[in-house]
Amino acid sequence: MALKSIDLNSDVGESFGPYTLGLDEEVIPLISSANIACGYHAGDPAVMRRTVSLALKHGVGLGAHPGLPDLVGFGRRAMEVSLEEIKDFVACQIGALQAVAALQGARLRHVKPHGALYNMAVKTPQIWDAVAQVMAGLDDRLILFVLAGADRGELEAIGRRRGIRIGFEFFADRAYNPDGSLVSRKLPGAVIHDHGVVAAKVLKLVNEGKVTAVDGSDIDLRADTICVHGDNPQAVQLVKQIRAALSAAGVAVAAPQPTA
Amino acid sequence: MALKSIDLNSDVGESFGPYTLGLDEEVIPLISSANIACGYHAGDPAVMRRTVSLALKHGVGLGAHPGLPDLVGFGRRAMEVSLEEIKDFVACQIGALQAVAALQGARLRHVKPHGALYNMAVKTPQIWDAVAQVMAGLDDRLILFVLAGADRGELEAIGRRRGIRIGFEFFADRAYNPDGSLVSRKLPGAVIHDHGVVAAKVLKLVNEGKVTAVDGSDIDLRADTICVHGDNPQAVQLVKQIRAALSAAGVAVAAPQPTA
Amino acid sequence: MALKSIDLNSDVGESFGPYTLGLDEEVIPLISSANIACGYHAGDPAVMRRTVSLALKHGVGLGAHPGLPDLVGFGRRAMEVSLEEIKDFVACQIGALQAVAALQGARLRHVKPHGALYNMAVKTPQIWDAVAQVMAGLDDRLILFVLAGADRGELEAIGRRRGIRIGFEFFADRAYNPDGSLVSRKLPGAVIHDHGVVAAKVLKLVNEGKVTAVDGSDIDLRADTICVHGDNPQAVQLVKQIRAALSAAGVAVAAPQPTA
Amino acid sequence: MALKSIDLNSDVGESFGPYTLGLDEEVIPLISSANIACGYHAGDPAVMRRTVSLALKHGVGLGAHPGLPDLVGFGRRAMEVSLEEIKDFVACQIGALQAVAALQGARLRHVKPHGALYNMAVKTPQIWDAVAQVMAGLDDRLILFVLAGADRGELEAIGRRRGIRIGFEFFADRAYNPDGSLVSRKLPGAVIHDHGVVAAKVLKLVNEGKVTAVDGSDIDLRADTICVHGDNPQAVQLVKQIRAALSAAGVAVAAPQPTA
C-alpha cells in the first residue's frame, strides 16, 4: 500500500546583500520544495549559493522562483512586459540558479514564478505557457508550479503541449471562491489566520481532494503542493502545525508528485 | 598537411535596453569566438538572446564574458571583491548565458572575463583559478581565455589542476614588454594605431610564434586566440585587414585550438 | 508690440555610462527647454552634469524629466505604482537634478514626466496632481508640462490648487482626435512623417491656436510648448525646419510662456 | 555658564524595499544627528521619506549619508572611482535627500560619507575635499563629518578653503593608535566590546579632550560628534548607557558644535 504524500513549498533565498528576509534556517527543514529567488526581485549570487546549500543539506527539492526585475518593489508590482521579455527574464533566472545548483552537484526540480509574475500568469495563461516553453528548452524534467483551481484543463494542456509536468498548488491560508479561484486579498476573509482551520483545510485537501469555499460549498481541488511561508515566527509555527497534522494522519511530506 | 589556423575573438552583446553599443552585425561575421556580455557590466536578457542568435547564424563560437556588477561603470572600475564573490558572480553570469544558448540549441565554448575583472586576474592569478574552478563545475569543455605572456606556466598549471582548457590570448593592437606583459596603457605607444603594423604582428605571431617587444627584441609568444574589436568602423576595418592578411598567408580563422 | 513666441522642448540627457543616446550636441542649441533624464529611466550623475552644462551653454531652460525606475525598459513599461511611490520617485529625481544644476549656478525651470509615467498621468490625472504637489513643495516657480488637449480645465485646476504653473504641450508629429486627445500609436497615421506637414501644423497652432484633427475638423488647442525630438538625424532636421518656419513667420523660440 | 554638550550620530535609513535594517525607531530618539542613506548603498525613496519624518519627530538633525553605488555590497567595497565621479555621486545623493527633507519643511544639517567612501577619504583627503566642494555648492551651512585624528590640520584647511564647517568624529567603540588613527579592524582589539569601557572613553573625550591609545598613552583628540550604532539591540543598549553616563556628568546630547 502506497503512503499518501504531499509536497510543502515555500519561498526562500529572498535575502539580499546586507539584508536578511525570511527564517530560511527554520523553514527549510520543514518543507520539501524550496522556491529560491534568483536575483531579480530578491536574492543575490551569494544568497543563492547559501540557500541551495541549505536546501541540499535538508534534502529539499530545489526550485527556481523567478520574478520581475524590480528589487525595490520585491517583484510585487505588475509591469507591462511582453511574453518575449518574460521568457528572457525567466531563462536568465533559471539558468543562473541551475549553475549555482550544478556547482553543488545538484539540479533544479521545479519552477514557481514569484509575486506579480505569478499573479499575471493566473490572469493571462499565455504567461504560464511562456514559462513552460522556457523550462522545456532548459530541462524537461522541471515541474511548473501553477495555481490549482478554475482552469485546470487549460493548464494541463499547456504542460502536454510543452512537454513538461505541471504541479498544482494549494494556498493553505487563503479562502477560495466556489469556482476554485482565490478570494481577492482586497476582500475581508481572504487570508485565514486560524492555524487550526488552516491545518484542517490541508488535511481535507489531502484526504478528500476538496476545499470548502467561502459560500460553504465543497469544491473539488486536487493539488500536488501546498504553499507555506517562513517569513515570520508565526508562519513557521503554522508549518510545524501542518506537518504535525499530516504526520498524525499518516501523510508524508515529500517531493512533488505531479499529475502524470 | 594541416592548415594553420587562429581564432579571432571580440567582445559583443554589450548593448543594453534602449542603448546600442558596438557594431555586432558587422564584426560577428568576421570572428570565430564571440565574448557575450551577461548582464553585469553590459547586456540584458534580450540582448543576450539576440547576440547568441547572431553568433549562431554565422557559426561563431559562443563565449561568456562575465564582468563585475557595475553597469554604469561598464565593469571597468576595479572593486574590492573576494574570490568567493567572484565565483558567485561568474557562476550566475555563465549560467544565465548557458540557458540562453540552450534555448537556441547551442552550448558555450569559452569564457573570457571582462574589463576590470580580467585586469584583476592578470595581477592576481587566484582569480583565473577561481573562474576556472567555476567553469570546471559547470562544463569542463569550456575554454578559459587568459592573457598570453609572462606567466604561462602558472596559467597552464591552473588549467591542469581544474581540468579545463586554457586559451592564450594575444592583443594585436597592444605593445608588449620584453617579459611578455602588456605595456601599460598609461605609457605612450601602448596602443598601436597603424593597421598595417597590427596585421604584420598578427602574421608574425601566427607564423613564428613571436612578437617584437617595445625594446626591439623578439620574444616567444604562443597564442590560441587574437582579441579584436568591433566598437567602431575603424576597428571593424582593422579586423577585415587582419582577416585578409591571414587569408593571403593561408591561415584559417577558426574556433579555438587551445594547448592540450 | 510683443513678438509671438513658443517654446520647443526635447528629451535629452538620456545617455548612460558607456552608452550614448540622442544627438544632444545638435538638438540642444535648437530648443528652449531641455527635459533632462534623472537616472531612473536613463541618465546617470555624470550625464546629468554634462547635460546641464550643455544646456546652460546654449541658454536653454533646464527641466527635470523624471521616469519610472526601469533602466532596461527605458521607463516605457507601465508599472503598478501608488501615488505615494510616484511622489517619492519624482522628489528624489528632481532633487538630484536640482543639486546638479545648483553646482553650476543654475536652477530648474520645468518638470516633464517621462514615458510610461507621462502616459499614466494622461489616463490618471491624480498622477499630474501628485507631481504638482511635489513640485510645489520643492520650488513653486517650476512649471509642469502636461499634454494639451481634452482635459484642460482639470489640469488648470490642479495647477491652481497646488500653486504651480502648468505648461500645455503640443506634439507636433502626432495626429489628434476631434476631442483633443492623441490618436493612439496603435492606429495608422498616429505619427506624421512629412516634415512639411509637421511644420505647417506648428505654425497653425502658434498663429491660430488650432490643430486639424484626423477627421478634418479644426479644433482649438492652445499650447505653451512643442515637443520635438533629437534622437536621430532626421528628427534634428525636422527641428531645424520647424525653427525656420517659425522664424519666417516672426515667431521667437523662447522659454515657456505658461498660462498665468 | 554654558552647558557642555556633544553630538551623537548614527547611520539610519538603511532599509530598502521589503528589507528592514537597523532599529531606527529605537536609536533615533537617542541621537542628535541622523546619517540617512540616500539610495546608493542602501535606502530607497520611501525609506528616505520615512526616516526624515522619524528624525524630525524626535528633533534629530538630518544628514546625508552618501555611499558608493553598490547596493548588494552595501557600499563597503572600495571601487576605483575618480574624484569627478565621487562629486557626481555625492551631489545626486545629497540633492535627493534635500528634496525629501524640503517636502517635510526641513533642511539637511550635515553630510557623512558611508563605508568604503569614508574609508577611501581617510586615506585620500582629496576625497574629503571633493565632498566639501559639492557641499559648499549646495548649501554652505552643511557640516562635513570627518574622522578625528591624525590629520586635523589638513582637514581644517579643506573646510576653510571650501567655506564649510568640519565636524570631527570620534568612534567610541574603536581603539586608537598613538598617532590618532584608528587601529585597523584586522588587528585584535580594534573594536571595544565592553560597554562600560566605551562609556568611560566617551566621558574622557568630552571632559578632557583625550583618548587613551592602544599603547596606554593619552593623546589629544577633540571631537564634535560621536558615532554610535543602532543595528542591533546591544548597540542600542550601548547608546543608552553612553547617554546615561553623559547625563550623569552634566553633558547634553545636542546638535553638532563644530569648530568655527
Side-chain angles (χ1 to χ4, degrees):
Chain A
M1 189 198 97
L3 255 176
K4 251 186 207 162
S5 83
I6 189 76
D7 182 45
L8 296 183
N9 79 76
S10 182
D11 299 352
V12 294
E14 299 189 321
S15 294
F16 177 83
Y19 301 108
T20 299
L21 194 74
L23 302 169
D24 288 5
E25 300 269 352
E26 296 183 38
V27 79
I28 284 179
L30 302 173
I31 60 175
S32 38
S33 287
N35 315 318
I36 302 173
C38 303
Y40 274 48
H41 76 279
D44 67 41
V47 169
M48 289 161 74
R49 170 174 43 81
R50 291 195 298 261
T51 309
V52 163
S53 170
L54 188 64
L56 291 175
K57 182 179 155 193
H58 292 284
V60 172
L62 305 177
H65 192 45
L68 294 178
D70 177 18
L71 193 65
V72 72
F74 200 56
R76 283 186 176 149
R77 305 188 287 207
M79 290 177 72
E80 208 171 63
V81 285
S82 67
L83 291 175
E84 183 107 82
E85 285 175 299
I86 289 171
K87 286 193 279 186
D88 289 338
F89 295 157
V90 168
C92 285
Q93 291 182 76
I94 296 176
L97 192 66
Q98 283 180 315
V100 172
L103 288 177
Q104 299 188 38
R107 67 171 191 84
L108 305 187
R109 303 287 302 267
H110 70 281
V111 173
K112 173 178 166 179
H114 168 82
L117 184 58
Y118 189 102
N119 295 334
M120 288 159 61
V122 169
K123 286 185 198 161
T124 311
Q126 294 98 306
I127 295 177
W128 292 126
D129 185 60
V131 175
Q133 188 182 355
V134 169
M135 291 166 60
L138 296 181
D139 181 353
D140 61 12
R141 296 165 298 179
L142 288 167
I143 304 168
L144 174 59
F145 284 7
V146 304
L147 181 63
D151 44 9
R152 185 178 192 95
E154 182 173 6
L155 296 170
E156 286 174 336
I158 287 172
R160 279 191 303 272
R161 184 164 65 248
R162 296 301 178 186
I164 61 150
R165 296 192 290 167
I166 302 291
F168 289 91
E169 176 175 40
F170 176 66
F171 286 83
D173 62 349
R174 291 292 298 277
Y176 281 76
N177 292 310
D179 71 352
S181 64
L182 293 176
V183 172
S184 166
R185 279 179 180 276
K186 293 169 189 162
L187 297 179
V191 177
I192 303 162
H193 296 289
D194 184 306
H195 287 192
V197 171
V198 173
K201 287 172 69 83
V202 167
L203 279 188
K204 179 168 186 146
L205 176 93
V206 173
N207 285 323
E208 307 173 31
K210 287 187 188 300
V211 64
T212 305
V214 280
D215 67 349
S217 65
D218 269 12
I219 57 172
D220 290 333
L221 197 94
R222 281 167 297 146
D224 307 295
T225 186
I226 297 173
C227 180
V228 295
H229 305 288
D231 46 335
N232 61 65
Q234 289 70 35
V236 172
Q237 191 50 47
L238 173 56
V239 185
K240 285 180 182 165
Q241 188 163 341
I242 290 173
R243 279 195 73 112
L246 290 169
S247 177
V251 180
V253 171
Q257 306 291 331
T259 54
Chain B
M1 191 199 95
L3 255 177
K4 254 186 206 159
S5 82
I6 188 76
D7 182 46
L8 296 183
N9 79 77
S10 183
D11 299 352
V12 296
E14 299 190 320
S15 294
F16 177 83
Y19 300 110
T20 299
L21 193 75
L23 303 168
D24 288 4
E25 299 269 352
E26 296 183 39
V27 79
I28 283 178
L30 302 173
I31 59 175
S32 37
S33 287
N35 315 318
I36 301 173
C38 303
Y40 274 48
H41 76 280
D44 67 42
V47 169
M48 289 161 74
R49 171 174 43 80
R50 291 194 299 260
T51 309
V52 163
S53 171
L54 189 63
L56 290 175
K57 182 179 156 193
H58 292 284
V60 172
L62 305 177
H65 193 44
L68 294 177
D70 177 19
L71 193 65
V72 72
F74 199 56
R76 283 183 175 150
R77 305 188 286 207
M79 290 177 73
E80 210 171 62
V81 284
S82 68
L83 291 175
E84 184 108 82
E85 286 175 299
I86 289 171
K87 285 193 280 187
D88 289 337
F89 295 157
V90 168
C92 285
Q93 291 181 75
I94 297 176
L97 192 67
Q98 283 181 316
V100 173
L103 289 177
Q104 301 189 37
R107 68 172 190 85
L108 305 188
R109 302 287 302 266
H110 71 280
V111 173
K112 174 178 166 178
H114 168 83
L117 184 58
Y118 189 102
N119 295 334
M120 288 159 61
V122 169
K123 285 184 198 162
T124 309
Q126 294 97 306
I127 295 176
W128 292 126
D129 185 61
V131 176
Q133 187 182 354
V134 169
M135 292 166 60
L138 296 181
D139 180 352
D140 61 12
R141 296 166 297 178
L142 288 167
I143 303 169
L144 174 59
F145 284 8
V146 304
L147 180 64
D151 44 9
R152 186 179 192 94
E154 184 173 5
L155 296 170
E156 286 174 336
I158 287 172
R160 278 192 304 273
R161 186 165 62 247
R162 296 301 178 186
I164 61 150
R165 295 192 290 168
I166 302 292
F168 289 92
E169 176 176 37
F170 176 66
F171 286 83
D173 62 349
R174 292 291 298 277
Y176 281 76
N177 292 311
D179 71 351
S181 64
L182 293 175
V183 172
S184 165
R185 279 181 180 275
K186 293 170 189 164
L187 297 178
V191 177
I192 303 163
H193 297 288
D194 184 306
H195 287 193
V197 171
V198 174
K201 287 172 70 82
V202 167
L203 280 188
K204 178 166 186 147
L205 176 94
V206 173
N207 285 323
E208 305 173 31
K210 287 184 189 301
V211 64
T212 304
V214 279
D215 67 349
S217 66
D218 268 14
I219 58 172
D220 289 333
L221 199 95
R222 282 166 296 146
D224 306 296
T225 185
I226 297 173
C227 180
V228 296
H229 305 288
D231 45 334
N232 61 67
Q234 289 69 36
V236 172
Q237 190 50 47
L238 174 55
V239 185
K240 287 181 180 165
Q241 188 163 340
I242 290 173
R243 280 196 71 113
L246 290 169
S247 177
V251 180
V253 170
Q257 305 292 329
T259 54
Chain C
M1 187 198 98
L3 254 175
K4 252 188 208 159
S5 82
I6 190 76
D7 182 45
L8 297 183
N9 79 76
S10 182
D11 299 351
V12 296
E14 299 189 321
S15 294
F16 177 83
Y19 301 108
T20 299
L21 194 74
L23 302 168
D24 288 3
E25 299 270 353
E26 296 183 39
V27 80
I28 283 178
L30 303 173
I31 60 176
S32 39
S33 286
N35 316 318
I36 302 173
C38 304
Y40 274 48
H41 76 280
D44 67 43
V47 168
M48 289 161 74
R49 171 175 41 82
R50 292 194 299 260
T51 308
V52 163
S53 171
L54 188 63
L56 290 176
K57 182 179 155 193
H58 292 283
V60 172
L62 305 177
H65 193 43
L68 295 177
D70 176 19
L71 192 66
V72 72
F74 199 57
R76 284 185 175 149
R77 304 187 288 207
M79 288 176 74
E80 209 171 61
V81 284
S82 68
L83 291 175
E84 183 107 82
E85 286 175 299
I86 289 170
K87 285 192 280 187
D88 290 336
F89 295 156
V90 168
C92 285
Q93 291 181 76
I94 296 176
L97 193 66
Q98 282 180 315
V100 173
L103 288 177
Q104 301 188 37
R107 68 170 190 86
L108 305 188
R109 303 286 302 266
H110 70 281
V111 173
K112 174 178 166 180
H114 167 82
L117 184 58
Y118 189 102
N119 295 333
M120 287 159 60
V122 170
K123 286 184 198 162
T124 310
Q126 295 99 307
I127 295 177
W128 293 126
D129 184 62
V131 175
Q133 188 183 354
V134 169
M135 291 167 60
L138 296 181
D139 180 352
D140 62 11
R141 296 165 297 176
L142 289 167
I143 304 168
L144 174 59
F145 284 8
V146 305
L147 180 64
D151 43 8
R152 186 180 193 93
E154 183 173 5
L155 296 169
E156 286 174 337
I158 287 172
R160 277 192 304 273
R161 186 165 63 247
R162 296 300 177 186
I164 61 152
R165 296 192 290 167
I166 302 290
F168 289 91
E169 175 176 39
F170 176 66
F171 286 83
D173 62 349
R174 292 292 299 277
Y176 280 76
N177 292 311
D179 70 352
S181 64
L182 293 176
V183 172
S184 165
R185 280 180 180 275
K186 293 171 188 163
L187 297 178
V191 178
I192 303 162
H193 297 288
D194 185 306
H195 287 191
V197 171
V198 173
K201 286 171 71 80
V202 167
L203 279 188
K204 179 168 187 143
L205 176 93
V206 173
N207 285 323
E208 306 173 32
K210 287 185 188 298
V211 63
T212 305
V214 280
D215 68 349
S217 64
D218 269 11
I219 58 173
D220 290 333
L221 198 94
R222 283 167 296 145
D224 308 294
T225 185
I226 298 173
C227 180
V228 296
H229 305 289
D231 46 332
N232 62 66
Q234 289 70 36
V236 173
Q237 191 49 49
L238 174 56
V239 184
K240 288 181 181 165
Q241 187 162 342
I242 290 172
R243 281 195 71 111
L246 290 169
S247 178
V251 180
V253 171
Q257 305 293 331
T259 54
Chain D
M1 191 198 93
L3 252 178
K4 251 185 210 160
S5 83
I6 188 77
D7 182 45
L8 296 183
N9 79 75
S10 182
D11 300 351
V12 296
E14 299 190 321
S15 295
F16 177 83
Y19 301 109
T20 298
L21 194 73
L23 303 169
D24 288 5
E25 299 270 352
E26 296 183 37
V27 80
I28 283 178
L30 303 174
I31 60 176
S32 38
S33 287
N35 315 318
I36 302 174
C38 303
Y40 274 48
H41 76 279
D44 68 43
V47 169
M48 289 161 73
R49 171 175 41 81
R50 291 194 299 259
T51 309
V52 163
S53 170
L54 188 63
L56 290 176
K57 182 179 155 193
H58 292 283
V60 172
L62 305 177
H65 192 44
L68 294 177
D70 176 19
L71 192 66
V72 71
F74 199 55
R76 284 186 175 148
R77 303 186 290 206
M79 289 176 73
E80 209 171 62
V81 285
S82 68
L83 291 174
E84 183 108 83
E85 285 174 298
I86 288 170
K87 285 193 279 187
D88 290 337
F89 294 156
V90 168
C92 285
Q93 290 180 76
I94 296 176
L97 192 66
Q98 282 180 316
V100 173
L103 289 176
Q104 300 188 38
R107 68 171 190 86
L108 304 188
R109 304 284 304 265
H110 70 280
V111 173
K112 174 178 167 180
H114 167 82
L117 184 58
Y118 189 103
N119 295 333
M120 288 159 60
V122 169
K123 286 185 197 161
T124 309
Q126 295 98 307
I127 295 177
W128 293 126
D129 185 61
V131 175
Q133 189 183 353
V134 169
M135 291 166 59
L138 296 180
D139 180 353
D140 61 12
R141 296 166 297 178
L142 288 167
I143 304 168
L144 174 59
F145 284 9
V146 305
L147 180 64
D151 43 8
R152 185 178 192 95
E154 183 173 5
L155 296 170
E156 286 174 338
I158 286 172
R160 280 192 302 273
R161 186 164 62 248
R162 297 301 179 187
I164 61 151
R165 296 192 289 167
I166 302 291
F168 289 91
E169 176 177 38
F170 176 65
F171 286 83
D173 62 349
R174 292 291 299 276
Y176 281 77
N177 292 310
D179 71 352
S181 64
L182 292 175
V183 172
S184 165
R185 280 180 181 275
K186 292 170 188 163
L187 296 178
V191 177
I192 302 163
H193 297 288
D194 184 306
H195 286 192
V197 172
V198 173
K201 286 171 71 82
V202 167
L203 280 189
K204 179 168 187 145
L205 176 94
V206 174
N207 285 323
E208 307 173 31
K210 288 186 189 299
V211 64
T212 305
V214 279
D215 67 349
S217 64
D218 268 13
I219 58 173
D220 289 334
L221 198 94
R222 282 168 295 145
D224 306 295
T225 185
I226 297 174
C227 179
V228 297
H229 306 287
D231 45 335
N232 61 66
Q234 289 71 35
V236 173
Q237 190 50 46
L238 174 56
V239 185
K240 287 180 180 166
Q241 188 162 342
I242 290 172
R243 281 195 73 112
L246 290 169
S247 177
V251 180
V253 171
Q257 305 294 331
T259 54

